[in-house]
Structure formats: structure tokens, C-alpha cells
Amino acid sequence: MSLPEPTDGLGPWQLFLCRACGLIYDEGEGDPDSGLPPGTRFADIPDDWACPICGVTKSDFEPYQRRAPVAPVPASLVPQRRPGVVIVGGGIGGWSVAEAIRAEDAELPITLVSACDGSLYHKPELSVALGRGLTPDALRRETGAAAAARLSLRLMADTVAVGLSPERHALRTTRGTLPYTHLVLAHGARPALPDCLDPALCWRVNDLAGWSSLHAELARGPRTVAVIGAGMVGCELAEDLARAGHAVTLLGAKALPLPELLPEQAGRRLLAGLEGVGVRYRGASLVSGLSRRPDGTVALALSDGTSLAAATVIAATGLATPSRLVRGAGLAFDRGIVVDPATLRTSGPDIFGLGDCISIAGRPCRFIEPIARQAAVIADAILGRAHPGYAHAAPVIRLKTRSAPIALHGTPVADRPWHVVEESEHRLAMEQRQGGEITAWLAA
Amino acid sequence: MSSALALRPADDSVGPVPPATPNRPDWTDEAVLAGAKAIADGPLSAAAAEIDRGAYPLEILGRLGGAGALAVHLDRHGGRFGLSVAAMQAASRACGATGFLMWCHDVCGLYLEQSGNPALTGAVLDDHAAGRSFGGTALSNPMKAFAGIEPILLRARRVPGGYRVSGMLPWVSHIGPGQYCGAIAGVVGANDTISHEIMFVLACDRAELRPCPHFSGMEGTSTWGVRLDDLFVGHDDLIADPARPFIGRIRGAFILLQCGMGLGVAEGSLNAMLAVEETLGHVNQFLDDRPDAIAAELAELRARVMRLAETPYDGATDYLIDVLDARAQVSELALRASQSALLHQGARGYLMSAAPQRRIREAHFVAIVTPAIKHLRWEMARLSRETLPTVTEGSRA
């Protein structure tokens, strides 16, 4: 339809959007059915005119700029006629299973559902990246889209798995319901924030997106940072932040950092190392609340009645596996999705689990090392190939605090006594024993 | 066939419920459900095509009210949400439009009772609950506004003794002369910004009702555009001030009740498939979404809805996501079941007088009425995101 050209000197015809129903009033076209001839300026429309579709009045319209039309892009070149495998989780666990399946089968349809953009990165790097001056782009090894194309799978990014019907083999997501032949749960764990910590006032570092936002926050220069929680992640982040030039206070619940894992001698070495790079440790401190101060910093109220302030607060208070999806589906859950220790099958038919979201014998295992082996077991089970089974072994725990690196082997038990094997200025070796057997040993 | 029959959702259990309150001892679970079914299978089935074309079934709603089907979710009648959903499902099996009107009426009753306002919880609510007076809900726009989907359309300003409200709402159902609805307006404070919202009972006789364009179906829902011009809202009209905490409290119940509509449309569709199984089963066996599959999903979903109906005021985020998930699945199932029913019935289901083609339109209504599938997914995605600090401007060290 050819429109009259404006001759009133008021510039090109403008568009106005009805906020109630989305109708667009085009001044060039007018609204002849309501008596507005083509070329009626919005300002000249009588006040009693109503939207021809929904009837709201002129005041409920707003100026509108038409965007360039976007042609639909075929999202996937992979035909998805068969349901195939659906993987929930775009982290290392999810991608590892996809890689393991593709290593043996080029055809099986795979859909990967990720609540984030599905970027591939090496998660342990997040706790040492600031000190190395890394950026989000440097940490991202491959975009989700590129990995999806390489592996011929369908990636559903920014998509949340919200419901599961195991008997019908159907996963409900925020972008539609997916039938599956096999389902792999690799959605990880989420930061477990105590109620007293306002999530809008403290950062958590558990994925690349969270780290990237924190990176942007810290990019403007050195600032005071408080890290709540002196577990592994808290200690590593505190050192990393200090190496990046920030003034760091690390708050721990006990006198020494990492008390659940380390005997006193090792804890003292760790503390000395952290203090050596400039971290200030505040032991025996429990945070009872956070609040924004007038100057924009955050006040941390401590349970002993004192308080401190920091420009940036990071909570490293542990992880917990979200349980809504699996509990709602009637799957067994015990601090994580319960899986068979050899097959990694959950209690639901054709549903497997791996990585941070599972628990074996009631214990979550949140380390990277077992994931590739777990993925191989699951891929072989899905492809119907024989596999000797997953053999769970406690991974070596390496604390990435360069100031005082510590490696723990075996199965440390919190209350069992540690025996010194070697103690010198440069080296500490200790072990735990039970019935004459060495069950855990550490080197610091 | 046998498996389909075995899975038919004939199970009408609605979970443990408190006993009916003494003032209506006749409204037992069994009596209310039997009454709703009798009305649905009798006069409502007979009137369904007329209602689809524009007949507003106030007389049938009055009968449903007399049977207790519009009251049992209220605290004063035992808070029996499961029973309320079951009654709505029974009616929707016959007529989706009437199921929708029951939902409009049910949530309006919920607003009145939960307001705690003595002017709204006495005889006004008694008449409403018993189906002697009628009112609906105008919360489509504010619900979307609270979710960040669109701006709020009604604006209020404070005046001595209350507020004055102006604005235009498109498409408000179950209203008309002598009727009323719950509505929400943004209170405009200094600098023309909205300080908070109020929720109030809007008497239709004090507003201008404007006819709507023709809809493709469900025309008997008495749906109007509502224009308010400086309407005074006094304390006796107020449901909640501020409105957001109130909405936060009833939101799960509000959305959960809608499940009765979609379950009923799906069940009606299932029945239509089964009705032709004997004569057309030999060819229908090649269709997708066969009766046994639909029946199994319907049974599972209905059981989940009934479980959720035991705790309609649970304030946990996980509970709300469960409700949104169930509501979205109800829409998806109604869409699939209604399409499959038409395919099962073939040409006879395509006749203008046939229920299957009407149910296709009803199912699409279930899927687009607020909260639509897309709104539900938007909200589930929002509720699933972690809250993080915003990157602060300027440098504070």
C-alpha cells in the first residue's frame, strides 16, 4: 500500500504502539474504520478515539520504532525425528556426556538443555582467574553454539528444566516439552546461601556467568573485598583476589581456614600462606546479616556484635543440589540425586546422573576428575555397549592456593586424628589411619 | 482399548479435606461433585453450543452456585481447592466457557474473602459464594505487569477517604450490569511514578462497559472493555492496599484453580476419542496421541494438581514453580487432546455443531488466557534465576 508522503513539515510518519494489545498505529495509514484518514498525526487524534482492537484510549499508546525484521534462522541442522538423548546441564558434566556419545555414535539425536548460554570453560579456573588477569572471553574455550555444531546436537540455551514425567519419558522445559529415550541429569549444584545473606548484596562464584559479573564489578580497580566462608573455594578466591590487588578479608567460622578437611598443622600453613599474599583472616566469625550502607559499601554484621564494611562481598558458603525437579518426579534424593555407584542410573527409568548434582552413598562428590569417567559409563549404557562400570574413588583434592599448595589423598574424615609423618619448614606430610590402614594422607 | 478404559480418569478422589462447614452441611464433597456433574451432563451439555456462540449462562452458574460448586475453595467452606478444581473440570468437560466463568467467579470470591474487609466478607460474599450474585476478575493486565511483561493500565490517585481511578481495561469477563470484578490500579505519586498498587472491587454500574470485537469462540463469557473515568474507590471497596503482598499470597491458588478448565477440556476430548473407538478404532490406531496416552497423562497430571491443591497458600518459590509447571502442562495437554479428538472423529468432529472443533478453540483459550503458556514459561525462567548483586556504578573502595 502506498502511503501519502508527509507534507506538514513534521518529518516522517511516526508509529505508536498500543501497550494493551500490541496494535501499531501508523500515522501514514491512519485508522479509516474509525474515521481517521491516512496521514492523521497521532497528536491530531481526538481524545475519545479508542484502539480498534482492544478499546483502550490514546493515552495507553507509546511511540514505537519498528525494528529491522529478523529472518528466522534455522536453529539446528540436525534432524530430530527420534526423541534421542536429552541432557540437562551445559557445564562440564553435560558436555562430557555429549562428547562421549559422539565419540562412538555420530547419529543418535542429542538435545542439551542449559539454563545458561552453554559456553564451555574449565570451572576450576574460575577461582584463579582474577590473579592471572583473565577475562571472560579468555576463560571461554568454545561457545555453546560452536560446540553444538561440532557435536551435531541441538543446544537449547537459556532454557530451564522445570518438570519431569519419568513414566512418560518427558522433560518439561521453559521452551517446551521434550520426549526422550534417555535422560542425563547434569545440572550441577547451586550456591547454598544462608537466609541471613541477602543474595542481592553478595556475589557467588559457581559458573562463568556469575564470575563474569563479578569480574565486571572488580574491573574498575582495587577495592575492599570480604569473602564469607573459608572452605576450598573461599580460600582460593581470597588468595586470587589478593593477587589481583584487592584488599581481602576472609571470614571463617573456626580459628583456622578449611577446618573440615585440614588438621591444625596444615591449617596453620595455609593461613600463613594466605597472610603472606596479603589476605586478612578473621577466624571464629559468623556473619549474621548484610546491609547496604549510605556510602554504597556493604556492612557485614557479625554474630559477636561487631561489624565490618567492604565494597564487594562474596559468599563461598558451600553448594547444594536443587531437588525440586527430581523430587517432583519421585526420584530418590539424598543430598543429591541418588545414583547406582556402578551404573550411575538414578531410581527413574532410563535416567542417569553425573557431576555435582549426584550423591553416591549419601555423599555428593563435587570434583572435576571423576566426570570424564562418569560420562563414559553413561554413554556406553545409552549406546548399549558393555562397560566394566564406574568405580568411585575419592579424587585427589588439590588446593589451588599457590601461597601454600596442599594435596589431600584418600578419604579424610573430619574427626579422626592425623599423624605427622614429616614436618619441616618446607614440607608437611600427615596421614590418617584406621585399623593399621592409611585412609588419608596430605602433603603441604 | 482396555488399557485406555483402565486409565480413564474416573477416579474423582480429591485428597484429604476438612469437613464442610456447619452452615452448609449439605455441601459434602460427594454432594458438590455429584451436583456439578449432573448440571454438566444435563443442561450445560445441552447449552454448550449456544454458550459458545454468545449465550451467557448465568442461570446455569446460579445452579452450580446452589450446588456449592462456586464456594468450596473458600476458607469458610473448608478450603477444598481440590474439590473446586474437580467441579470446574466436570463443567469444562461439557463446556469450556462455563469452566472459565466458574474460575472467574471462584477467584473473585477468593479476593472478597481474603480481603478481610468486613464490607466485602459478609452478605456480599455469601451471595457471591452461593451464586446469587456474580462477579469476575480483571487481573490479566496487572498480573502481567507484576511479572514485568507489560505496563499497568489503571491509574489511581489518592483523595480524601480513598482513591480516584481512571483508565481502560480490555477484555474483562463474567461482568455486566449489576455485577462486579476485582481490579488493580497503580497509585501515581510524586513525579508521576507509581508508588504502589491498590486492589478493589469494581462495581460495573459505576464504569462504562464497551463491547469487544467478536472472538472466535466462547462468546458467552460476557466479556467487555471497561473504562473508568475518575471512579471513586473508598475503604469499603478495597481488597488490598498495597496489592502486591496480597497477590503474592493468593497467586498460587489463583493459577492452580485454572487447571480445572484445561483438565475438563482434555477429558471431554478424551471422551470424544473413546466415543468413536468402536467404529473407527481400526483406522484411528494409526494416529498420534491415542486415548490410552492421553488418559495416562491426564491421570498423572490430575493427581499432581490435586496434590498441589492441598496447600494452595504455600509461599515457597518451589511450590509456585510446581503450580506454574502444572498449569503449563494442562494447556499443552488440552491442546494435544483436543486436536487428537478432532482427528479421531474426522469429518463428524469438524461439523459446526460438533464438540471437538469447539474444544479446539477452548483449548487454545486455555493456552492463551493469562497466564498463557508463554507467560508461564517466562515466569518459571525468572523464578529459576539466581539473584545476584547488580554491578555498582562509580568506584568505591
Side-chain angles (χ1 to χ4, degrees):
Chain A
M1 176 174 161
S2 66
L3 304 175
E5 287 303 310
T7 54
D8 55 9
L10 295 173
W13 300 127
Q14 305 288 321
L15 303 176
F16 292 83
L17 174 75
C18 172
R19 296 184 307 183
C21 75
L23 173 120
I24 292 169
Y25 176 81
D26 183 330
E27 292 181 333
E29 293 178 6
D31 178 18
D33 290 344
S34 311
L36 303 179
T40 304
R41 290 291 187 184
F42 190 76
D44 297 332
I45 298 176
D47 283 338
D48 62 356
W49 175 80
C51 170
I53 289 191
C54 73
V56 302
T57 51
K58 213 176 134 177
S59 61
D60 290 312
F61 279 69
E62 64 189 13
Y64 182 71
Q65 208 80 42
R66 207 182 280 281
R67 275 171 289 187
V70 181
V73 181
S76 167
L77 299 172
V78 187
Q80 297 283 350
R81 289 191 196 94
R82 291 171 293 148
V85 179
V86 172
I87 300 169
V88 180
I92 294 172
W95 284 112
S96 297
V97 172
E99 302 260 7
I101 292 173
R102 275 291 171 266
E104 299 187 49
D105 186 310
E107 302 292 327
L108 183 65
I110 303 174
T111 300
L112 192 146
V113 176
S114 174
C116 62
D117 65 6
S119 292
L120 281 79
Y121 61 98
H122 191 59
K123 190 170 166 185
E125 277 189 321
L126 296 182
S127 59
V128 294
L130 291 166
R132 294 177 188 171
L134 296 177
T135 61
D137 281 341
L139 285 168
R140 191 179 298 110
R141 298 181 172 194
E142 191 176 14
T143 65
R150 173 170 59 80
L151 294 170
S152 293
L153 62 76
R154 175 166 64 144
L155 170 65
M156 294 174 69
D158 300 313
T159 303
V160 184
V162 290
L164 172 58
S165 297
E167 297 306 327
R168 292 191 300 108
H169 285 58
L171 177 79
R172 295 185 298 282
T173 80
T174 50
R175 294 184 203 274
T177 298
L178 305 174
Y180 60 79
T181 50
H182 296 88
L183 179 68
V184 180
L185 298 174
H187 54 64
R190 291 177 79 151
L193 205 58
D195 288 340
C196 59
L197 301 184
D198 180 346
L201 294 178
C202 62
W203 299 86
R204 280 86 69 204
V205 178
N206 188 45
D207 54 33
L208 181 58
W211 184 88
S212 301
S213 301
L214 175 64
H215 177 264
E217 163 86 359
L218 297 172
R220 287 184 309 270
R223 52 209 278 132
T224 56
V225 182
V227 178
I228 303 171
M232 286 185 66
V233 171
C235 290
E236 291 175 359
L237 278 175
E239 172 165 336
D240 192 42
L241 286 156
R243 288 187 186 276
H246 303 287
V248 182
T249 301
L250 174 64
L251 293 109
K254 299 287 171 62
L256 291 171
L258 212 51
E260 312 80 32
L261 277 179
L262 298 185
E264 189 189 333
Q265 294 94 324
R268 278 204 305 269
R269 282 185 185 236
L270 174 59
L271 176 58
L274 289 171
E275 288 177 338
V277 294
V279 173
R280 180 168 159 253
Y281 182 71
R282 243 183 115 145
S285 294
L286 288 173
V287 179
S288 56
L290 302 176
S291 55
R292 179 78 69 188
R293 304 199 319 168
D295 66 356
T297 61
V298 176
L300 297 83
L302 304 182
S303 52
D304 65 5
T306 63
S307 76
L308 69 129
T312 298
V313 177
I314 299 168
T317 45
L319 298 175
T321 302
S323 65
R324 197 192 67 79
L325 182 75
V326 288
R327 282 189 204 271
L331 303 191
F333 188 92
D334 178 15
R335 298 175 67 209
I337 303 164
V338 174
V339 295
D340 179 283
T343 64
L344 302 171
R345 286 179 184 274
T346 70
S347 63
D350 303 315
I351 305 174
F352 298 82
L354 80 161
D356 282 6
C357 64
I358 62 168
S359 73
I360 293 177
R363 295 167 71 121
C365 175
R366 301 207 169 100
F367 295 96
I368 296 294
E369 183 274 324
I371 288 179
R373 293 187 292 118
Q374 293 173 351
V377 172
I378 292 173
D380 279 348
I382 289 173
L383 296 171
R385 296 173 191 227
H387 192 285
Y390 174 67
H392 187 65
V396 180
I397 301 170
R398 290 183 199 284
L399 199 60
K400 295 185 290 297
T401 41
R402 271 187 291 153
S403 61
I406 295 174
L408 274 153
H409 304 253
T411 321
V413 176
D415 296 328
R416 198 172 288 165
W418 285 87
H419 306 279
V420 175
V421 177
E422 180 189 343
E423 185 167 20
S424 67
E425 189 188 340
H426 302 293
R427 181 173 156 77
L428 171 70
M430 300 179 76
E431 60 191 29
Q432 280 186 331
R433 305 180 198 125
Q434 188 176 30
E437 296 242 335
I438 297 169
T439 53
W441 65 102
L442 70 80
Chain B
M1 188 65 198
S2 60
S3 63
L5 287 171
L7 290 166
R8 277 187 70 177
D11 162 29
D12 286 308
S13 67
V14 291
V17 288
T21 44
N23 63 340
R24 290 310 300 254
D26 51 326
W27 285 349
T28 62
D29 289 4
E30 297 74 20
V32 170
L33 195 55
K37 282 182 170 174
I39 295 163
D41 295 342
L44 185 53
S45 285
E50 273 304 298
I51 296 168
D52 187 47
R53 286 195 293 270
Y56 183 27
L58 274 189
E59 193 266 331
I60 288 175
L61 284 165
R63 285 211 232 173
L64 287 164
L70 304 176
V72 290
H73 62 298
L74 299 173
D75 286 349
R76 63 188 55 196
H77 296 296
R80 292 173 284 172
F81 275 78
L83 179 59
S84 197
V85 169
M88 200 184 299
Q89 177 182 349
S92 305
R93 207 168 55 189
C95 171
T98 301
F100 172 56
L101 291 169
M102 288 174 77
W103 174 78
C104 296
H105 197 90
D106 282 356
V107 289
C108 186
L110 195 70
Y111 307 155
L112 297 175
E113 181 174 66
Q114 296 293 321
S115 74
N117 184 342
L120 302 177
T121 49
V124 170
L125 179 54
D126 286 340
D127 285 345
H128 182 85
R132 293 188 292 265
S133 64
F134 301 97
T137 172
L139 259 52
S140 173
N141 161 256
M143 282 293 190
K144 281 183 267 182
F146 290 169
I149 293 169
E150 63 185 38
I152 197 154
L153 291 169
L154 293 185
R155 303 297 171 105
R157 65 196 164 74
R158 217 183 264 281
V159 295
Y163 297 90
R164 290 212 172 260
V165 180
S166 295
M168 170 85 201
L169 289 174
W171 310 339
V172 182
S173 298
H174 194 33
I175 57 172
Q179 295 179 219
Y180 43 85
C181 61
I184 290 181
V187 178
V188 180
N191 313 322
D192 273 357
T193 56
I194 291 179
S195 59
H196 68 288
E197 296 83 12
I198 56 165
M199 184 164 175
F200 59 100
V201 175
L202 166 61
C204 297
D205 293 346
R206 295 165 63 204
E208 180 191 344
L209 301 187
R210 296 183 166 194
C212 289
H214 280 294
F215 297 107
S216 65
M218 298 180 61
E219 280 278 72
T221 53
S222 195
T223 300
W224 301 85
V226 181
R227 175 152 188 184
L228 305 186
D229 188 12
D230 230 20
L231 173 81
F232 178 74
V233 172
H235 295 302
D236 283 355
D237 305 318
L238 277 179
I239 294 168
D241 180 2
R244 278 184 196 240
F246 181 87
I247 292 299
R249 189 154 52 82
I250 65 157
R251 191 161 58 154
F254 173 98
I255 294 166
L256 187 67
L257 278 172
Q258 287 184 333
C259 292
M261 289 191 277
L263 291 174
V265 172
E267 190 186 357
S269 301
L270 173 62
N271 292 343
M273 289 180 221
L274 294 171
V276 294
E277 196 62 15
E278 191 180 332
T279 49
L280 300 177
H282 60 294
V283 279
N284 281 348
Q285 62 174 314
F286 295 101
L287 288 170
D288 296 320
D289 287 322
R290 294 279 291 144
D292 50 357
I294 295 292
E297 183 170 352
L298 180 58
E300 182 210 84
L301 180 54
R302 186 181 194 276
R304 223 168 68 235
V305 169
M306 289 301 161
R307 258 198 317 278
L308 292 167
E310 289 169 17
T311 56
Y313 299 110
D314 185 334
T317 300
D318 276 2
Y319 175 79
L320 186 56
I321 296 177
D322 282 343
V323 170
L324 300 174
D325 173 38
R327 170 70 179 85
Q329 193 187 346
V330 162
S331 293
E332 292 175 26
L333 177 62
L335 287 171
R336 274 193 290 115
S338 64
Q339 188 191 31
S340 188
L342 183 50
L343 294 173
H344 274 72
Q345 289 223 342
R348 78 186 73 173
Y350 195 62
L351 296 177
M352 202 58 222
S353 59
Q357 54 81 19
R358 171 169 53 79
R359 288 203 188 94
I360 291 234
R361 289 177 282 114
E362 292 174 351
H364 280 82
F365 178 85
V366 169
I368 60 171
V369 70
T370 306
I373 288 179
K374 57 192 176 181
H375 301 142
L376 292 161
R377 292 181 182 166
W378 156 293
E379 190 64 2
M380 286 190 282
R382 190 182 71 84
L383 291 169
S384 300
R385 271 195 290 274
E386 270 188 272
T387 305
L388 282 177
T390 46
V391 176
T392 50
E393 297 304 318
S395 66
R396 297 181 201 92

